[in-house]
Amino acid sequence: MHSIASTVIGAETRTETEVPLVPGIILAALACLPIAGTLLVAQVLPQMEAAFAGTPDLRARVSIALTIPALVIALCSWGTGWLADRVGRHRLLVAALLLYALFGLLPLVLHSLDAIIASRAAMGVAEGIIMTCSTALTGDLYAGKRRERLLSLQTACASAAAVVFAIIGGLLGNFGWRTPFAVYAVALLVLPLVLVFVPADRPAVRSAGKGRQTGEGHPLAPLAAICAATVVMSLAFYVAQIQTPFLLNALGPVAPSTVGMVSAMTNIAVVAGTACFPVLRRYPLSVTGLSTFMLLAAGLMIAAMATAHASLVAGLILTGFAGGIALPTLLNSVMALLSFAQRGQGAGLWQSSFWAGQFASPILVVVLADLAGSLQTAVALTAAVTLCLGGGMALLLPRRGQDS
Protein backbone atom coordinates (compact mmCIF):
# COMPACT_ATOMS: atom_id res chain seq x y z
CA MET A 1 0.00 0.00 0.00
CA HIS A 2 1.31 3.41 -0.96
CA SER A 3 1.60 5.48 2.23
CA ILE A 4 1.53 9.22 2.53
CA ALA A 5 5.03 9.14 3.98
CA SER A 6 6.46 7.79 0.74
CA THR A 7 6.10 11.26 -0.74
CA VAL A 8 9.09 13.57 -0.22
CA ILE A 9 8.68 17.27 0.45
CA GLY A 10 10.66 19.39 -1.96
CA ALA A 11 12.07 22.85 -1.57
CA GLU A 12 8.77 24.64 -2.12
CA THR A 13 5.57 24.68 -0.11
CA ARG A 14 2.78 22.39 -1.32
CA THR A 15 -0.43 23.69 -2.84
CA GLU A 16 -3.46 23.94 -0.60
CA THR A 17 -5.24 20.87 -1.99
CA GLU A 18 -2.33 18.48 -2.63
CA VAL A 19 -1.72 17.14 0.89
CA PRO A 20 -4.50 15.59 3.03
CA LEU A 21 -5.21 16.95 6.49
CA VAL A 22 -4.17 13.82 8.44
CA PRO A 23 -0.43 14.70 8.61
CA GLY A 24 -1.27 18.24 9.73
CA ILE A 25 -3.57 16.99 12.48
CA ILE A 26 -0.87 14.62 13.73
CA LEU A 27 1.70 17.43 13.73
CA ALA A 28 -0.71 19.75 15.57
CA ALA A 29 -1.34 17.10 18.22
CA LEU A 30 2.40 16.95 18.98
CA ALA A 31 1.98 20.34 20.70
CA CYS A 32 0.49 18.36 23.59
CA LEU A 33 3.82 16.76 24.48
CA PRO A 34 5.60 19.82 25.98
CA ILE A 35 2.41 20.59 27.93
CA ALA A 36 2.54 17.09 29.38
CA GLY A 37 6.19 17.71 30.22
CA THR A 38 5.19 20.41 32.70
CA LEU A 39 1.68 19.73 33.97
CA LEU A 40 2.06 16.03 34.76
CA VAL A 41 4.90 16.84 37.17
CA ALA A 42 3.28 19.96 38.62
CA GLN A 43 0.58 17.86 40.24
CA VAL A 44 3.05 15.72 42.26
CA LEU A 45 5.55 18.33 43.48
CA PRO A 46 4.53 17.95 47.17
CA GLN A 47 5.02 14.17 46.94
CA MET A 48 8.43 14.67 45.30
CA GLU A 49 9.47 16.98 48.14
CA ALA A 50 8.43 14.35 50.67
CA ALA A 51 10.29 11.60 48.78
CA PHE A 52 13.56 13.57 48.75
CA ALA A 53 13.28 15.08 52.23
CA GLY A 54 16.67 16.10 53.58
CA THR A 55 18.09 17.07 50.20
CA PRO A 56 19.83 20.49 50.37
CA ASP A 57 17.86 23.31 48.75
CA LEU A 58 14.99 20.88 48.25
CA ARG A 59 12.28 23.38 47.31
CA ALA A 60 14.51 25.06 44.73
CA ARG A 61 15.60 21.76 43.19
CA VAL A 62 12.07 20.44 42.91
CA SER A 63 11.02 23.71 41.27
CA ILE A 64 13.91 23.40 38.81
CA ALA A 65 12.80 19.85 38.01
CA LEU A 66 9.43 21.32 37.00
CA THR A 67 10.61 24.33 34.99
CA ILE A 68 13.90 23.25 33.42
CA PRO A 69 12.30 21.79 30.25
CA ALA A 70 10.86 25.22 29.40
CA LEU A 71 14.26 26.86 29.95
CA VAL A 72 16.01 24.28 27.75
CA ILE A 73 13.40 24.72 25.00
CA ALA A 74 13.99 28.47 25.10
CA LEU A 75 17.76 28.07 24.92
CA CYS A 76 17.94 25.31 22.33
CA SER A 77 15.04 25.76 19.90
CA TRP A 78 16.82 28.28 17.70
CA GLY A 79 19.75 25.86 17.35
CA THR A 80 17.54 22.85 16.68
CA GLY A 81 15.74 24.88 14.01
CA TRP A 82 19.07 25.54 12.28
CA LEU A 83 19.87 21.82 12.52
CA ALA A 84 16.44 20.84 11.17
CA ASP A 85 17.05 22.93 8.05
CA ARG A 86 20.23 20.96 7.40
CA VAL A 87 19.49 17.35 8.35
CA GLY A 88 15.74 17.34 7.65
CA ARG A 89 12.74 18.08 9.90
CA HIS A 90 11.18 14.61 9.63
CA ARG A 91 14.38 12.75 10.51
CA LEU A 92 15.02 15.00 13.50
CA LEU A 93 11.39 14.75 14.65
CA VAL A 94 11.52 10.94 14.72
CA ALA A 95 14.72 11.01 16.79
CA ALA A 96 13.22 13.58 19.18
CA LEU A 97 10.13 11.45 19.84
CA LEU A 98 12.38 8.55 20.85
CA LEU A 99 14.45 10.81 23.11
CA TYR A 100 11.31 12.33 24.65
CA ALA A 101 10.07 8.88 25.65
CA LEU A 102 13.49 7.75 26.91
CA PHE A 103 14.28 10.76 29.10
CA GLY A 104 10.65 11.26 30.10
CA LEU A 105 10.43 7.71 31.47
CA LEU A 106 13.82 7.72 33.25
CA PRO A 107 12.47 9.27 36.52
CA LEU A 108 10.52 6.03 37.00
CA VAL A 109 13.82 4.36 37.95
CA LEU A 110 16.10 7.24 39.01
CA HIS A 111 16.81 7.71 42.72
CA SER A 112 18.68 11.02 42.63
CA LEU A 113 16.92 14.37 42.35
CA ASP A 114 19.87 15.79 40.41
CA ALA A 115 19.65 12.87 37.96
CA ILE A 116 15.94 13.55 37.51
CA ILE A 117 16.69 17.22 36.79
CA ALA A 118 19.28 16.17 34.21
CA SER A 119 16.85 13.77 32.53
CA ARG A 120 14.19 16.47 32.33
CA ALA A 121 16.69 18.91 30.85
CA ALA A 122 17.43 16.35 28.14
CA MET A 123 13.69 15.90 27.63
CA GLY A 124 13.45 19.66 27.16
CA VAL A 125 15.86 19.41 24.22
CA ALA A 126 13.59 16.77 22.69
CA GLU A 127 10.52 18.94 23.30
CA GLY A 128 12.14 21.89 21.57
CA ILE A 129 12.95 19.72 18.55
CA ILE A 130 9.41 18.32 18.45
CA MET A 131 7.78 21.76 18.51
CA THR A 132 10.21 23.28 16.01
CA CYS A 133 10.08 20.41 13.51
CA SER A 134 6.31 19.89 13.74
CA THR A 135 5.71 23.60 13.16
CA ALA A 136 8.17 23.77 10.25
CA LEU A 137 6.71 20.63 8.65
CA THR A 138 3.23 22.13 8.86
CA GLY A 139 4.56 25.18 7.05
CA ASP A 140 6.20 22.93 4.44
CA LEU A 141 3.11 20.83 3.76
CA TYR A 142 0.38 23.45 3.75
CA ALA A 143 -0.21 26.99 2.52
CA GLY A 144 -2.79 29.74 3.00
CA LYS A 145 -5.92 29.04 5.01
CA ARG A 146 -5.18 25.34 5.53
CA ARG A 147 -1.87 26.15 7.20
CA GLU A 148 -3.52 28.82 9.32
CA ARG A 149 -6.21 26.41 10.49
CA LEU A 150 -3.68 23.72 11.38
CA LEU A 151 -1.35 26.08 13.26
CA SER A 152 -4.41 27.38 15.12
CA LEU A 153 -5.29 23.75 15.89
CA GLN A 154 -1.80 23.40 17.39
CA THR A 155 -2.66 26.14 19.90
CA ALA A 156 -6.06 24.59 20.61
CA CYS A 157 -4.50 21.16 21.19
CA ALA A 158 -1.99 22.61 23.65
CA SER A 159 -4.75 24.40 25.60
CA ALA A 160 -6.98 21.33 25.72
CA ALA A 161 -4.00 19.25 26.80
CA ALA A 162 -3.37 21.66 29.68
CA VAL A 163 -6.75 20.69 31.13
CA VAL A 164 -6.45 16.97 30.40
CA PHE A 165 -2.90 16.47 31.66
CA ALA A 166 -3.55 18.44 34.85
CA ILE A 167 -6.38 16.03 35.64
CA ILE A 168 -4.39 12.93 34.62
CA GLY A 169 -1.37 14.02 36.65
CA GLY A 170 -3.51 14.56 39.73
CA LEU A 171 -5.24 11.18 39.40
CA LEU A 172 -2.04 9.22 38.76
CA GLY A 173 -0.34 11.05 41.63
CA ASN A 174 -2.60 9.09 43.97
CA PHE A 175 -0.53 6.00 43.07
CA GLY A 176 2.82 7.64 43.87
CA TRP A 177 4.85 10.55 42.58
CA ARG A 178 6.61 8.42 39.95
CA THR A 179 3.44 7.17 38.26
CA PRO A 180 2.65 10.26 36.12
CA PHE A 181 6.04 9.92 34.41
CA ALA A 182 4.75 6.75 32.72
CA VAL A 183 2.52 8.92 30.53
CA TYR A 184 5.57 10.10 28.58
CA ALA A 185 5.49 6.73 26.81
CA VAL A 186 2.69 8.27 24.69
CA ALA A 187 5.47 9.50 22.36
CA LEU A 188 6.07 5.88 21.37
CA LEU A 189 2.40 5.62 20.35
CA VAL A 190 2.64 8.76 18.24
CA LEU A 191 5.88 7.72 16.54
CA PRO A 192 4.33 5.14 14.15
CA LEU A 193 1.75 7.71 13.04
CA VAL A 194 4.54 10.15 12.17
CA LEU A 195 6.46 7.47 10.28
CA VAL A 196 3.42 6.33 8.25
CA PHE A 197 1.50 9.53 7.60
CA VAL A 198 3.90 12.50 7.74
CA PRO A 199 5.95 12.92 4.54
CA ALA A 200 9.72 13.09 4.75
CA ASP A 201 11.52 16.25 3.68
CA ARG A 202 14.81 16.95 1.95
CA PRO A 203 17.39 18.86 4.03
CA ALA A 204 17.22 22.49 2.93
CA VAL A 205 21.00 22.72 2.59
CA ARG A 206 20.83 20.26 -0.30
CA SER A 207 17.47 21.10 -1.82
CA ALA A 208 17.51 24.88 -1.66
CA GLY A 209 19.46 27.26 -3.84
CA LYS A 210 22.85 28.65 -2.93
CA GLY A 211 21.46 32.02 -1.98
CA ARG A 212 19.10 30.48 0.55
CA GLN A 213 21.90 28.42 2.07
CA THR A 214 23.85 31.53 2.88
CA GLY A 215 20.81 33.23 4.37
CA GLU A 216 20.14 35.63 1.48
CA GLY A 217 16.70 37.13 1.70
CA HIS A 218 16.19 36.38 5.39
CA PRO A 219 13.37 38.69 6.61
CA LEU A 220 15.37 39.60 9.73
CA ALA A 221 13.59 42.81 10.70
CA PRO A 222 9.99 41.50 10.61
CA LEU A 223 11.07 38.19 12.14
CA ALA A 224 12.80 39.99 15.01
CA ALA A 225 9.71 42.16 15.58
CA ILE A 226 7.41 39.13 15.74
CA CYS A 227 9.74 37.22 18.08
CA ALA A 228 10.13 40.23 20.40
CA ALA A 229 6.35 40.66 20.52
CA THR A 230 6.04 36.93 21.25
CA VAL A 231 8.28 37.24 24.33
CA VAL A 232 6.12 40.03 25.76
CA MET A 233 2.92 38.18 24.89
CA SER A 234 4.15 34.99 26.57
CA LEU A 235 5.23 36.88 29.70
CA ALA A 236 1.74 38.34 30.07
CA PHE A 237 -0.16 35.23 29.02
CA TYR A 238 1.56 33.00 31.57
CA VAL A 239 0.82 35.35 34.44
CA ALA A 240 -2.78 34.17 34.16
CA GLN A 241 -1.73 30.55 33.59
CA ILE A 242 0.76 30.28 36.48
CA GLN A 243 -0.47 32.75 39.12
CA THR A 244 -4.11 31.59 39.19
CA PRO A 245 -3.94 29.67 42.52
CA PHE A 246 -2.03 32.48 44.25
CA LEU A 247 -4.40 35.19 43.01
CA LEU A 248 -7.47 33.18 44.01
CA ASN A 249 -6.19 32.44 47.51
CA ALA A 250 -5.13 36.07 47.99
CA LEU A 251 -8.84 36.94 47.99
CA GLY A 252 -9.75 34.12 50.34
CA PRO A 253 -8.99 30.41 50.69
CA VAL A 254 -10.30 28.22 47.87
CA ALA A 255 -10.30 24.46 47.38
CA PRO A 256 -7.83 22.86 44.94
CA SER A 257 -10.83 21.73 42.88
CA THR A 258 -11.83 25.38 42.47
CA VAL A 259 -8.35 26.27 41.25
CA GLY A 260 -8.55 23.43 38.76
CA MET A 261 -11.94 24.58 37.52
CA VAL A 262 -10.74 28.17 37.03
CA SER A 263 -7.62 26.95 35.21
CA ALA A 264 -9.84 24.86 32.94
CA MET A 265 -12.04 27.89 32.21
CA THR A 266 -8.98 29.96 31.35
CA ASN A 267 -7.75 27.34 28.90
CA ILE A 268 -11.20 27.01 27.34
CA ALA A 269 -11.00 30.78 26.77
CA VAL A 270 -7.68 30.21 24.96
CA VAL A 271 -9.42 27.80 22.60
CA ALA A 272 -12.22 30.33 22.06
CA GLY A 273 -9.66 33.03 21.20
CA THR A 274 -7.97 30.68 18.76
CA ALA A 275 -11.32 30.10 17.05
CA CYS A 276 -11.52 33.85 16.34
CA PHE A 277 -8.27 33.89 14.38
CA PRO A 278 -9.78 33.09 10.94
CA VAL A 279 -11.95 36.21 11.24
CA LEU A 280 -9.14 38.47 12.47
CA ARG A 281 -6.54 37.33 9.91
CA ARG A 282 -7.92 39.75 7.33
CA TYR A 283 -6.67 42.72 9.36
CA PRO A 284 -3.05 43.96 9.31
CA LEU A 285 -0.85 42.19 11.84
CA SER A 286 -0.01 45.47 13.56
CA VAL A 287 -3.73 46.15 14.17
CA THR A 288 -4.44 42.65 15.49
CA GLY A 289 -1.26 42.72 17.60
CA LEU A 290 -2.10 46.07 19.20
CA SER A 291 -5.66 44.95 19.93
CA THR A 292 -4.40 41.73 21.47
CA PHE A 293 -1.90 43.46 23.76
CA MET A 294 -4.65 45.82 24.88
CA LEU A 295 -6.88 42.85 25.76
CA LEU A 296 -4.00 41.12 27.57
CA ALA A 297 -3.30 44.25 29.59
CA ALA A 298 -6.99 44.77 30.35
CA GLY A 299 -7.41 41.20 31.55
CA LEU A 300 -4.38 41.43 33.84
CA MET A 301 -5.49 44.79 35.22
CA ILE A 302 -8.97 43.44 35.98
CA ALA A 303 -7.37 40.48 37.77
CA ALA A 304 -5.03 42.78 39.71
CA MET A 305 -7.81 45.10 40.87
CA ALA A 306 -10.34 42.37 41.65
CA THR A 307 -11.87 42.38 45.11
CA ALA A 308 -14.01 39.29 44.54
CA HIS A 309 -13.39 35.91 42.95
CA ALA A 310 -15.93 36.52 40.18
CA SER A 311 -14.16 39.61 38.82
CA LEU A 312 -10.77 37.93 39.19
CA VAL A 313 -11.96 34.96 37.12
CA ALA A 314 -13.33 37.36 34.49
CA GLY A 315 -9.91 38.99 34.17
CA LEU A 316 -8.14 35.64 33.90
CA ILE A 317 -10.57 34.46 31.22
CA LEU A 318 -10.07 37.67 29.22
CA THR A 319 -6.29 37.18 29.40
CA GLY A 320 -6.64 33.59 28.20
CA PHE A 321 -8.92 34.68 25.35
CA ALA A 322 -6.41 37.33 24.23
CA GLY A 323 -3.58 34.79 24.36
CA GLY A 324 -5.65 32.44 22.24
CA ILE A 325 -5.81 35.13 19.54
CA ALA A 326 -2.15 36.10 19.83
CA LEU A 327 -0.58 32.63 19.59
CA PRO A 328 -1.86 31.59 16.13
CA THR A 329 -1.57 35.17 14.86
CA LEU A 330 2.13 35.47 15.64
CA LEU A 331 3.01 31.90 14.70
CA ASN A 332 1.21 32.08 11.36
CA SER A 333 2.95 35.36 10.63
CA VAL A 334 6.37 33.75 11.10
CA MET A 335 5.49 30.83 8.84
CA ALA A 336 4.17 33.15 6.13
CA LEU A 337 7.42 35.14 6.10
CA LEU A 338 9.78 32.23 5.54
CA SER A 339 10.81 30.06 2.62
CA PHE A 340 11.39 26.31 2.86
CA ALA A 341 15.11 26.78 3.47
CA GLN A 342 14.48 29.21 6.35
CA ARG A 343 11.44 27.65 7.96
CA GLY A 344 13.13 25.39 10.51
CA GLN A 345 15.33 28.15 11.90
CA GLY A 346 12.44 30.62 11.91
CA ALA A 347 10.17 28.17 13.73
CA GLY A 348 12.96 27.53 16.23
CA LEU A 349 13.44 31.24 16.89
CA TRP A 350 9.72 31.67 17.50
CA GLN A 351 9.59 28.69 19.85
CA SER A 352 12.61 30.04 21.76
CA SER A 353 10.85 33.38 22.13
CA PHE A 354 7.62 31.83 23.35
CA TRP A 355 9.21 29.48 25.88
CA ALA A 356 11.60 32.18 27.11
CA GLY A 357 8.56 34.25 28.04
CA GLN A 358 6.96 31.28 29.78
CA PHE A 359 10.11 30.60 31.83
CA ALA A 360 10.67 34.26 32.72
CA SER A 361 7.05 35.07 33.60
CA PRO A 362 6.98 33.69 37.19
CA ILE A 363 10.44 35.12 37.86
CA LEU A 364 9.30 38.57 36.72
CA VAL A 365 6.20 38.40 38.93
CA VAL A 366 8.24 37.36 41.98
CA VAL A 367 10.71 40.22 41.46
CA LEU A 368 7.93 42.77 40.95
CA ALA A 369 6.03 41.44 43.98
CA ASP A 370 9.14 41.84 46.17
CA LEU A 371 9.61 45.39 44.91
CA ALA A 372 5.95 46.42 45.04
CA GLY A 373 4.92 44.55 48.17
CA SER A 374 2.05 42.43 46.82
CA LEU A 375 1.18 40.00 44.06
CA GLN A 376 -1.74 42.13 42.89
CA THR A 377 0.49 45.16 42.40
CA ALA A 378 3.00 43.01 40.53
CA VAL A 379 0.25 41.86 38.16
CA ALA A 380 -0.88 45.46 37.65
CA LEU A 381 2.68 46.49 36.79
CA THR A 382 2.90 43.56 34.36
CA ALA A 383 -0.30 44.82 32.72
CA ALA A 384 1.23 48.28 32.31
CA VAL A 385 4.42 46.83 30.82
CA THR A 386 2.36 44.66 28.47
CA LEU A 387 0.37 47.63 27.22
CA CYS A 388 3.34 49.97 26.76
CA LEU A 389 6.03 47.57 25.56
CA GLY A 390 3.78 45.14 23.72
CA GLY A 391 1.72 47.89 22.16
CA GLY A 392 4.87 49.63 20.95
CA MET A 393 6.22 46.42 19.44
CA ALA A 394 2.89 45.73 17.73
CA LEU A 395 3.31 48.91 15.71
CA LEU A 396 6.59 47.50 14.32
CA LEU A 397 5.02 44.26 13.12
CA PRO A 398 4.74 43.68 9.35
CA ARG A 399 1.35 44.23 7.79
CA ARG A 400 1.13 40.63 6.60
CA GLY A 401 3.33 37.69 5.55
CA GLN A 402 4.52 36.93 2.07
CA ASP A 403 1.83 34.43 1.23
CA SER A 404 -0.95 35.39 3.56
Side-chain angles (χ1 to χ4, degrees):
M1 181 177 178
H2 180 73
S3 69
I4 295 173
S6 63
T7 303
V8 178
I9 303 171
E12 298 300 327
T13 303
R14 300 293 187 85
T15 63
E16 287 208 36
T17 57
E18 187 178 348
V19 180
L21 288 175
V22 172
I25 293 172
I26 293 171
L27 291 170
L30 293 179
C32 299
L33 297 181
I35 301 300
T38 299
L39 288 179
L40 285 171
V41 179
Q43 313 309 312
V44 294
L45 290 183
Q47 293 97 311
M48 286 184 67
E49 287 188 4
F52 291 99
T55 302
D57 301 318
L58 177 60
R59 179 64 58 86
R61 292 190 182 194
V62 169
S63 298
I64 290 172
L66 174 67
T67 59
I68 197 166
L71 175 61
V72 172
I73 294 173
L75 293 175
C76 296
S77 287
W78 66 272
T80 59
W82 177 88
L83 184 62
D85 282 339
R86 282 148 181 81
V87 305
R89 302 30 145 164
H90 189 277
R91 185 183 305 171
L92 204 57
L93 176 61
V94 169
L97 288 170
L98 291 171
L99 293 174
Y100 177 94
L102 171 63
F103 290 112
L105 291 170
L106 271 180
L108 288 171
V109 296
L110 294 175
H111 297 283
S112 163
L113 188 53
D114 288 339
I116 290 174
I117 291 171
S119 71
R120 287 185 54 77
M123 192 181 74
V125 176
E127 289 175 339
I129 295 172
I130 290 168
M131 290 305 300
T132 297
C133 292
S134 62
T135 301
L137 280 167
T138 301
D140 294 340
L141 287 166
Y142 305 96
K145 292 183 179 179
R146 295 183 94 208
R147 180 172 65 204
E148 291 172 351
R149 286 196 294 267
L150 288 166
L151 290 177
S152 298
L153 178 63
Q154 185 184 97
T155 301
C157 285
S159 300
V163 179
V164 173
F165 283 121
I167 295 171
I168 291 174
L171 291 174
L172 292 180
N174 293 326
F175 300 96
W177 68 268
R178 294 184 187 271
T179 309
F181 289 94
V183 179
Y184 296 132
V186 70
L188 299 178
L189 301 179
V190 177
L191 181 58
L193 299 178
V194 172
L195 289 171
V196 172
F197 292 105
V198 178
D201 61 309
R202 295 190 185 100
V205 73
R206 290 200 293 265
S207 63
K210 182 178 180 181
R212 289 298 191 192
Q213 292 177 43
T214 58
E216 181 182 332
H218 250 76
L220 293 178
L223 181 60
I226 294 172
C227 288
T230 298
V231 173
V232 179
M233 180 277 298
S234 184
L235 281 168
F237 176 69
Y238 275 100
V239 170
Q241 296 286 309
I242 296 173
Q243 304 300 329
T244 292
F246 304 103
L247 289 168
L248 286 169
N249 282 284
L251 296 178
V254 296
S257 58
T258 301
V259 176
M261 182 176 66
V262 173
S263 296
M265 293 168 65
T266 302
N267 281 288
I268 291 171
V270 177
V271 177
T274 300
C276 295
F277 170 73
V279 177
L280 298 174
R281 67 175 294 278
R282 68 189 66 174
Y283 298 103
L285 181 58
S286 57
V287 173
T288 306
L290 180 59
S291 301
T292 300
F293 280 114
M294 291 175 66
L295 286 175
L296 280 168
L300 291 178
M301 190 60 72
I302 292 171
M305 298 179 65
T307 56
H309 288 119
S311 54
L312 170 60
V313 172
L316 296 174
I317 289 174
L318 180 58
T319 305
F321 178 76
I325 297 173
L327 285 167
T329 299
L330 294 168
L331 180 53
N332 272 292
S333 299
V334 168
M335 290 295 99
L337 280 170
L338 303 171
S339 70
F340 173 84
Q342 304 162 336
R343 198 165 285 133
Q345 190 172 8
L349 287 170
W350 190 87
Q351 293 292 342
S352 286
S353 302
F354 175 74
W355 289 91
Q358 176 181 342
F359 178 78
S361 180
I363 298 174
L364 174 66
V365 171
V366 168
V367 171
L368 290 177
D370 287 342
L371 294 174
S374 72
L375 175 60
Q376 289 84 351
T377 304
V379 174
L381 290 173
T382 305
V385 170
T386 301
L387 182 60
C388 297
L389 190 57
M393 288 180 177
L395 299 177
L396 301 176
L397 296 176
R399 288 186 59 84
R400 56 184 70 244
Q402 291 175 344
D403 64 351
S404 57

